[in-house]
Amino acid sequence: MGAYLIRRLLLMLLTLFGMSVLIFVMLRLVPGNITDIIFDSAGFVNPAQKAKIERQLGLDQPIVTQYVRWIAGLARGDLGYAFVSEKPALDEILPRIPVTAKLAVLALVFSVLFGVPLGVISAVRQNTALDYALRVVSLSGLSLPSFWLGLLILMACVQWFGWIPIYRSTPGSFWSELALLSIPAAAVGFRSSALVMRLTRSSMLEVLRQDYIRTARAKGASDPSVNYDHALRNAVLPVVTIIGIEAAFLIGGLIVTETVFNIPGVARFLVEAIRWRDYPIVQNLVMLIAVVVVVVNFVVDMAYVALDPRIKYEE
Amino acid sequence: MSRVTVIDHDVELTRAGANVRGTLGSVLFFARRYPLGAVGALIMLVFVATAVFADAIATFDPLTTNARDSLAPPGGSHTLGADFMGRDMLARIIYGARISLAVGLGATMLGCLAGMIVGLLSGYFGGWLDLTVQRLMDIMQSLPLLVMALVMAASLGPSLTNTIIAIAIPLVPNVARVIRSNTLSLREMPFVEAARAVGMSETRIAIAHVLPNTLAPLIVLATAQFGSAILVESALAFLGLGVPEPHPSWGRMLSESAAEYVRTAPWLVIFPGVAISAVVFGTNLLGDAIRDMLDPRQRF
Amino acid sequence: MRARLALGATLFVLAGVLGGTPALAQKQGGTLRIYHRDNLPSASIHEEATISTVQPFMAVFNNLVLFDQGKKLNTPETIVPDLAESWAWDLTNTKLTFKLRQGVKWHDGRPFTAKDVQCTFNKLTGKDTEDDFRRNPRAVWWQNLKEVAANSDHDVTFILNRPQPSILSMLASGYTPIYPCHVKAQAMRTNPIGTGPFKFVEFKRGDSVKFVRNPDYWKPGKPYLDAIEWKVIESRSTRILAFVAGEFDMTFSADVTVPLLKDVTEQAPKAICDLAPTGVSSNLIINPTVAPFNDAKVRRALALALDRKSMIDILSQGKNALAGVMLPPPEGTWGMPPDALQTLPGYAADVEKSRAEARKIMESLGYGPSKTLKVKVSTRNIAIYRDPAVLLIDQLKSIHIDGELEVIDTSIWHAKVTRKEFSVGLNLTGVGVDDPDVNLYENYSCGSERNLTQYCNKDVDALIAKQSQETDAAKRKGIVWEIEKQLAEDLARPIIYYERSATCRQPHVKGFVLHQNSIYNNWRYEDVWLDK
């Protein structure tokens, strides 16, 4: 197990390293850099001034030099200076993380709270009208564009309540902030909850068919206890997988939802930074996302081992 | 108290498809066996027909502007209303089917083709190729689909082909993964051994014997990716990075400029969203049924 | 008795003079809440050319002189003292001496002196090589400024190469604040220090910008507000909804477009909305160096095919202003009224007749319904650029031109245009001050950086210089109209319209008058108070 862990960690580092090179190169393939953008806002281009700024920002150096400087800085904890705001990139990224994290956690909580019970019900009442109805609902969750859902919710809020959920960075209490965030969290989490529902349903069905349930029934245990005790515990496993897979998808959903609901989080910041060609921000943010995805996958794999002793990693 | 199940063999055989005759028979059999799948297929058919026969169906030209009808509500000459420049919504949705399906289909086929080739080569030939490819796929999978597509779309610039490429590339790792694992198990199968013994070249074995057997999971995957491709296209368009004017794209109809009129003209926001959801819904229904049919182990 | 009466009268007059307007009921206190669109690149007004920077940060500074914040139109007659108490030209009209106010302090406590004026203009004219601006978009405004001499701590003289009456208008613009000597240009981009009514507090990109009252402001009693808070909302529908719901006191400048105005006035009937020109024009840039527009005949056909009125009707329900180069009356002082415009080539009222003529031209060149000319129409990937482009393509169909929209990403737009990699493009131009020197020098003079098509006509340049020196306003206007005719004939940058858009405020916001011929000079906020 120890050897496996070390191998795994090395692979993770390799993956992250590869991602750093990939994003670094992709960004510089993008036509136009920050000087084009800031000159555009001034309405003209002055080649001499442009070249001077590029020199100041180090953009005239060969790509390899720029890359090494960035990675060396990362190792020291120095993420470089944001091009647009001229402040340290870390100071721009860190304050935006909490609200996105809260949104993500709320969305995951929503998806589990909503998805697991409905999935169980759907499995237990398989092939009934209720099951079909729930399957249609879960399928629609996978089919709706999440930003459209967000727009519709916004429209509904304004139309029916005459009120618009605007996020304020200094809200009242913890609970009022939570309440305000729950609306966009529902928009993001709807799709995840659909996936959780489907997965719970199918793994419940698998388990319900298995021998030991029949054995338990033959031993005389009453139906409800058989369903929720034995079955649920084993059905949890794939749900853990889904959380891992969803971590990646959730970030995409957060990007559009933060845009629709005007939340100053890290996901929306990524889109802005790409628009501004703010390399330090985009590079570091993409690395952050990659780290999150890779770490979550790792944690999920380890949780798998912990939850099901039959699984051993022997690659 | 045990319940006794009586097995009627004739009924079971018919149910298993033993009595199916002809194409119509197969279709009806599929429809009866997988009703939801049939609904999905029907939805897809409607949209494909709309896209193909757009010229015949639409009464308005989707690009013609008209000051008088600016922001006209649904009803009257504009069945689904008109947008800010007086362009007919119904016509734009009909022609939008072309764009959205083109992007979805194009990206999915490109991504699945590339993924299949990569996965097949990697799984079949193994060794250094496999290791390198696996790491590359790992790297590409460490970013969510939308983020990858976002960076690619920003770097390639706004155009129809670029959008297809930007969505196709992030789809490759998933496909490659599945095809690779399938290839790995197929590689050890007896019929492959037999072919080798007969003296068939590795390439021929790969293409003629292993490939056809990976098609089933590929089709299942492709239907799932198709839905994702359409959703990502609409998200890119919403963020301003998708298919540019004047192609009427559903995603762009929902973008910022339409969102301005969320209260004055809600039909601008509702109908394109319904169209996107319907297509993806149909794909998912169909995909579920196909998966049930081809590969029951992946039951969802 | 008479003494007391006289004293009372004097005090009353003094109060009127000092207070500006006769309204004596201003309430102190309160925070003004405004929303921001956020394309805000930096906080340094001198380095930017966008309303996104000017509107929030103008409150931090003072100018030498300013357009009266209480009058609707910016004209030379409405220029009032700011940091300069008085000014006078010398006999040659090339030396303008300002007497500066005493006892004014920067926000960090240092005293304001004539040296600060000198430093600011050294940076603007490129004389400061140690700490210059990263970008200097209005360098062309000061090309006639030889030097700024600080005669004493409170006395400066602007020395020009030749007479230029417009120099005062340029000094009165929101784009010409006075910067401190002792703060570096880089700091002014992130933490600006000024002498103005409000102090900069913080700028959280994508979230908010905050300003607080300057208690040591040199105008006693002002500002009335305690603070100004800007909240960044990128989606127009969200922010207008928020305004209607009462979350904000004012909208961003010109944010309520004509199509949305009706909705806002219905949903918020008590709000005060002013529809006014913004000084931004939508125009065409034509590349005369490559086919097809290197052929003067094709250019003429294009000009004849334009149906400006139809575009104005569709995009703004008829409210945008039909215009030539200068903003037209009633708001503009220099522009041509509709009847004069019609004499310009391409502005004829009978569009069908013009189009018929254009079709004849195209047919004589071999084009017809079956053989159309394929042209790329380039523009930026933003709705306000795209929409007119789409309409243009529609209109070109009528003269056998098959236009294809080419959407160019913002980051490479200017590079492409500078390299002349376009045939015809749709462009937006913002003019800081309704003044011929500003507009003509920036956009049409040979070698100007903002002259996108690098249009260069020596005769026009001579005319521009001639009107710049002309002190008689009526004569000057005549020369400007001559320039208009020439620019229209050359198709230098055909203006499609000057846009009109609305700025709204809640009824409790008092003391604010919206400028009607420019959006860039309006935002000192020192007279604004909240009646709550």
Side-chain angles (χ1 to χ4, degrees):
Chain A
M1 191 57 201
Y4 171 76
L5 266 175
I6 296 180
R7 256 200 93 207
R8 197 57 201 270
L9 260 138
L10 281 174
L11 273 177
M12 274 165 62
L13 278 171
L14 190 64
T15 308
L16 288 173
F17 172 71
M19 172 46 71
S20 73
V21 174
L22 188 65
I23 186 65
F24 196 82
V25 169
M26 272 207 293
L27 268 185
R28 277 142 187 84
L29 285 176
V30 178
N33 61 27
I34 178 72
T35 56
D36 294 298
I37 305 270
I38 58 180
F39 272 98
D40 169 76
S41 78
F44 72 111
V45 174
N46 181 321
Q49 288 175 342
K50 187 166 178 291
K52 190 163 174 208
I53 301 179
E54 280 177 350
R55 244 176 295 132
Q56 279 174 356
L57 295 176
L59 287 173
D60 57 334
Q61 307 274 345
I63 282 195
V64 181
T65 322
Q66 292 185 45
Y67 177 75
V68 169
R69 196 179 293 159
W70 173 44
I71 293 292
L74 264 186
R76 282 196 312 265
D78 170 19
L79 269 55
Y81 273 75
F83 284 168
V84 180
S85 64
E86 301 179 85
K87 292 198 196 117
L90 199 62
D91 291 351
E92 290 281 342
I93 296 179
L94 272 183
R96 290 178 159 82
I97 293 183
V99 75
T100 305
K102 282 179 202 152
L103 203 51
V105 167
L106 267 177
L108 275 175
V109 164
F110 178 86
S111 65
V112 170
L113 271 178
F114 200 66
V116 171
L118 286 182
V120 168
I121 295 174
S122 193
V124 163
R125 301 255 174 279
Q126 190 192 10
N127 288 331
T128 57
L130 183 59
D131 177 31
Y132 271 100
L134 284 175
R135 280 169 68 189
V136 167
V137 166
S138 77
L139 213 52
S140 62
L142 290 176
S143 315
L144 290 178
S146 56
F147 63 91
W148 187 57
L149 187 60
L151 272 176
L152 290 178
I153 294 179
L154 215 61
M155 251 165 73
C157 280
V158 171
Q159 205 65 24
W160 297 334
F161 307 123
W163 158 80
I164 184 163
I166 289 198
Y167 181 77
R168 295 213 178 273
S169 50
T170 43
S173 62
F174 171 74
W175 290 111
S176 68
E177 186 182 357
L178 215 65
L180 206 59
L181 279 179
S182 57
I183 299 174
V188 183
F190 189 43
R191 184 188 162 106
S192 303
S193 71
L195 260 162
V196 170
M197 195 194 317
R198 277 155 70 86
L199 201 55
T200 313
R201 178 181 179 277
S202 78
S203 59
M204 274 291 283
L205 286 177
E206 277 300 307
V207 164
L208 279 172
R209 261 184 231 123
Q210 286 189 0
D211 280 343
Y212 67 88
I213 295 291
R214 287 202 203 115
T215 319
R217 271 213 191 98
K219 280 193 195 154
S222 64
D223 255 33
S225 77
V226 169
N227 285 339
Y228 301 120
D229 262 12
H230 301 253
L232 196 57
R233 215 175 291 151
N234 287 276
V236 160
L237 219 55
V239 178
V240 172
T241 329
I242 259 301
I243 294 183
I245 301 176
E246 273 311 280
F249 177 78
L250 211 57
I251 297 175
L254 283 172
I255 292 178
V256 283
T257 309
E258 282 187 7
T259 308
V260 170
F261 286 92
N262 200 61
I263 296 173
V266 115
R268 194 185 71 171
F269 195 38
L270 178 63
V271 181
E272 283 173 32
I274 291 179
R275 256 192 225 128
W276 284 97
R277 306 284 187 267
D278 199 338
Y279 294 160
I281 300 285
V282 179
Q283 282 156 206
N284 293 312
L285 265 184
V286 166
M287 286 310 294
L288 179 65
I289 294 175
V291 166
V292 167
V293 170
V294 163
V295 166
V296 168
N297 282 337
F298 178 69
V299 166
V300 163
D301 284 344
M302 293 298 107
Y304 238 74
V305 173
L307 285 173
D308 188 350
R310 289 177 296 170
I311 295 178
K312 266 195 268 279
Y313 286 105
E314 298 164 288
E315 276 181 58
Chain B
M1 282 300 246
S2 63
R3 280 182 228 130
V4 176
T5 327
V6 174
I7 302 177
D8 184 330
H9 289 277
D10 281 335
V11 171
E12 288 295 336
L13 275 175
T14 319
R15 216 182 274 157
N19 239 346
V20 173
R21 263 191 294 267
T23 340
L24 184 60
S26 318
V27 170
L28 287 176
F29 163 71
F30 179 80
R32 220 179 307 132
R33 180 98 195 249
Y34 305 103
L36 284 180
V39 171
L42 199 63
I43 297 178
M44 290 307 296
L45 213 64
V46 166
F47 276 103
V48 170
T50 314
V52 169
F53 299 116
D55 300 316
I57 306 177
T59 37
F60 281 92
D61 180 70
L63 303 178
T64 307
T65 58
N66 186 338
R68 250 178 337 116
D69 294 343
S70 172
L71 295 180
S77 60
H78 292 285
T79 332
L80 291 181
D83 73 356
F84 166 54
M85 288 202 249
R87 298 179 292 200
D88 181 53
M89 279 306 283
L90 182 57
R92 284 178 76 75
I93 292 197
I94 289 175
Y95 277 89
R98 271 199 187 161
I99 300 295
S100 301
L101 285 178
V103 174
L105 227 66
T108 308
M109 287 198 330
L110 196 59
C112 285
L113 195 67
M116 183 185 75
I117 295 175
V118 168
L120 194 66
L121 290 174
S122 165
Y124 194 77
F125 291 110
W128 282 109
L129 179 65
D130 183 31
L131 279 174
T132 339
V133 167
Q134 268 212 334
R135 296 288 75 80
L136 203 60
M137 297 295 114
D138 263 346
I139 294 173
M140 285 173 73
Q141 275 190 309
S142 67
L143 274 191
L145 179 57
L146 183 58
V147 177
M148 275 287 272
L150 203 61
V151 181
M152 299 236 70
S155 58
L156 295 170
S159 91
L160 184 56
T161 16
N162 289 342
T163 309
I164 294 182
I165 297 175
I167 300 179
I169 292 185
L171 290 180
V172 167
N174 279 333
V175 178
R177 269 262 131 93
V178 170
I179 299 299
R180 176 183 172 273
S181 67
N182 249 283
T183 312
L184 280 178
S185 45
L186 281 170
R187 195 172 60 172
E188 315 302 328
M189 294 246 128
F191 69 87
V192 171
E193 287 289 323
R196 265 200 212 109
V198 164
M200 226 186 244
S201 75
E202 294 287 341
T203 335
R204 260 204 87 190
I205 300 178
I207 299 180
H209 287 272
V210 177
L211 180 57
N213 287 291
T214 61
L215 279 181
L218 185 64
I219 294 180
V220 172
L221 206 52
T223 48
Q225 304 284 46
F226 182 71
S228 299
I230 296 201
L231 285 177
V232 169
E233 187 266 323
S234 67
L236 280 179
F238 180 71
L239 293 171
L241 286 162
V243 177
E245 288 271 6
H247 303 288
S249 136
W250 291 335
R252 211 187 55 253
M253 285 191 246
L254 282 177
S255 77
E256 185 48 58
S257 39
E260 265 184 52
Y261 305 106
V262 142
R263 224 195 6 202
T264 37
W267 55 91
L268 291 183
V269 173
I270 294 179
F271 294 125
V274 168
I276 298 175
S277 309
V279 170
V280 180
F281 191 71
T283 315
N284 283 334
L285 281 177
L286 189 59
D288 271 1
I290 291 181
R291 195 205 44 242
D292 281 353
M293 193 166 70
L294 293 177
D295 195 1
R297 285 171 300 152
Q298 273 188 51
R299 259 215 127 86
F300 240 37
Chain C
M1 180 61 193
R2 222 191 260 151
R4 233 180 280 149
L5 211 59
L7 185 62
T10 321
L11 282 174
F12 185 81
V13 169
L14 266 175
V17 165
L18 288 174
T21 57
L24 297 168
Q26 294 97 335
K27 292 192 191 146
Q28 278 280 1
T31 301
L32 187 67
R33 302 161 306 162
I34 319 184
Y35 62 73
H36 198 290
R37 302 183 308 207
D38 191 44
N39 292 333
L40 181 40
S42 83
S44 177
I45 294 181
H46 278 302
E47 294 197 29
E48 302 296 342
T50 165
I51 184 68
S52 294
T53 302
V54 176
Q55 195 178 351
F57 288 96
M58 203 177 136
V60 172
F61 296 101
N62 285 115
N63 295 17
L64 282 178
V65 294
L66 189 65
F67 286 115
D68 193 333
Q69 299 288 289
K71 295 255 166 38
K72 279 196 189 153
L73 292 181
N74 303 148
T75 65
E77 291 79 33
T78 64
I79 296 180
V80 295
D82 208 15
L83 283 174
E85 285 179 335
S86 65
W87 54 93
W89 287 100
D90 76 329
L91 291 168
T92 61
N93 273 333
T94 57
K95 292 198 177 63
L96 183 57
T97 306
F98 293 92
K99 253 188 88 190
L100 302 176
R101 225 170 274 279
Q102 307 205 18
V104 176
K105 291 219 250 315
W106 295 99
H107 291 156
D108 56 7
R110 305 267 284 261
F112 159 74
T113 68
K115 274 222 153 311
D116 296 308
V117 179
Q118 202 179 31
C119 282
T120 307
F121 285 91
N122 280 347
K123 289 199 174 77
L124 283 172
T125 49
K127 290 205 182 67
D128 184 342
T129 46
E130 277 178 15
D131 181 35
D132 61 345
F133 293 137
R134 268 205 317 201
R135 287 152 300 157
N136 194 355
R138 284 168 296 280
V140 76
W141 283 17
W142 315 107
Q143 57 181 320
N144 185 30
L145 180 62
K146 190 152 131 209
E147 77 169 287
V148 172
N151 310 321
S152 74
D153 267 356
H154 301 282
D155 207 284
V156 268
T157 303
F158 278 63
I159 303 174
L160 307 173
N161 290 319
R162 53 147 175 92
Q164 186 180 18
S166 288
I167 199 97
L168 266 172
S169 299
M170 296 195 267
L171 288 169
S173 164
Y175 271 127
T176 317
I178 303 297
Y179 273 16
C181 274
H182 61 274
V183 180
K184 286 205 170 308
Q186 203 248 356
M188 293 303 278
R189 289 198 290 270
T190 51
N191 260 345
I193 304 273
T195 57
F198 292 91
K199 286 187 183 180
F200 171 76
V201 173
E202 69 173 4
F203 171 24
K204 282 195 204 149
R205 183 168 293 280
D207 185 29
S208 59
V209 195
K210 293 205 176 108
F211 302 89
V212 88
R213 181 176 194 272
N214 175 11
D216 303 314
Y217 190 45
W218 51 269
K219 282 195 193 162
K222 290 195 187 168
Y224 303 112
L225 298 167
D226 281 338
I228 306 180
E229 276 182 20
W230 298 76
K231 172 132 186 72
V232 176
I233 301 186
E234 285 179 10
S235 154
R236 195 200 295 267
S237 52
T238 309
R239 54 192 193 237
I240 296 212
L241 284 172
F243 172 78
V244 159
E247 296 261 347
F248 295 103
D249 299 311
M250 279 184 79
T251 65
F252 194 81
S253 160
D255 200 38
V256 183
T257 56
V258 173
L260 295 173
L261 183 56
K262 181 157 160 287
D263 183 55
V264 170
T265 41
E266 271 173 16
Q267 300 290 327
K270 295 219 194 80
I272 305 167
C273 290
D274 293 307
L275 184 67
T278 54
V280 176
S281 71
S282 176
N283 50 66
L284 286 181
I285 46 175
I286 305 173
N287 187 356
T289 59
V290 294
F293 294 110
N294 52 355
D295 184 345
K297 292 213 199 90
V298 182
R299 286 204 298 271
R300 185 167 160 75
L302 172 66
L304 289 170
L306 263 183
D307 183 1
R308 291 170 165 87
K309 185 163 177 310
S310 158
M311 286 208 197
I312 292 176
D313 285 341
I314 294 182
L315 293 171
S316 67
Q317 295 163 10
K319 296 283 194 305
N320 285 344
L322 186 68
V325 167
M326 298 301 299
L327 184 69
E331 298 94 347
T333 330
W334 302 94
M336 302 172 97
D339 42 325
L341 276 175
Q342 277 178 31
T343 61
L344 293 180
Y347 281 82
D350 189 346
V351 174
E352 265 321 303
K353 186 156 157 253
S354 303
R355 283 197 177 156
E357 198 188 323
R359 273 194 289 275
K360 262 207 228 99
I361 298 179
M362 295 301 289
E363 277 152 20
S364 76
L365 292 168
Y367 297 106
S370 44
K371 180 170 184 259
T372 55
L373 173 61
K374 297 218 181 328
V375 165
K376 275 217 172 102
V377 176
S378 313
T379 192
R380 289 167 61 163
N381 196 7
I382 307 173
I384 194 176
Y385 283 77
R386 275 194 322 248
D387 294 343
V390 169
L391 293 176
L392 177 68
I393 291 179
D394 216 17
Q395 292 187 0
L396 290 177
K397 285 191 202 148
S398 66
I399 60 164
H400 313 312
I401 293 186
D402 188 9
E404 185 197 323
L405 190 62
E406 183 195 23
V407 173
I408 300 179
D409 193 67
T410 297
S411 63
I412 51 179
W413 166 249
H414 273 103
K416 268 204 147 182
V417 169
T418 320
R419 290 196 299 264
K420 300 245 176 71
E421 288 169 11
F422 70 100
S423 298
V424 61
L426 211 112
N427 184 46
L428 253 60
T429 304
V431 181
V433 184
D434 179 28
D435 181 283
D437 273 13
V438 169
N439 193 350
L440 298 174
Y441 272 118
E442 269 188 25
N443 300 307
Y444 302 98
S445 61
C446 293
S448 165
E449 280 162 343
R450 294 175 76 169
N451 185 343
L452 292 177
T453 50
Q454 285 143 41
Y455 165 79
C456 187
N457 182 330
K458 291 277 180 237
D459 294 334
V460 169
D461 260 19
L463 281 175
I464 296 179
K466 187 162 166 221
Q467 64 80 34
S468 174
Q469 301 179 53
E470 181 55 66
T471 38
D472 179 316
K475 265 202 212 138
R476 198 173 165 200
K477 198 163 177 180
I479 308 176
V480 171
W481 284 26
E482 257 189 77
I483 300 175
E484 286 252 26
K485 284 205 186 72
Q486 190 60 47
L487 291 176
E489 268 178 36
D490 290 346
L491 285 178
R493 199 190 290 192
I495 306 288
I496 303 181
Y497 53 74
Y498 265 92
E499 66 172 29
R500 280 206 182 93
S501 201
T503 310
C504 297
R505 57 188 185 277
Q506 308 286 3
H508 57 253
V509 176
K510 307 264 197 234
F512 179 76
V513 173
L514 187 73
H515 285 169
Q516 303 249 330
N517 57 351
S518 169
I519 51 175
Y520 299 96
N521 312 316
N522 214 175
W523 314 108
R524 197 66 97 218
Y525 291 113
E526 63 186 16
D527 301 313
V528 178
W529 56 283
L530 299 173
D531 190 7
K532 280 210 268 196

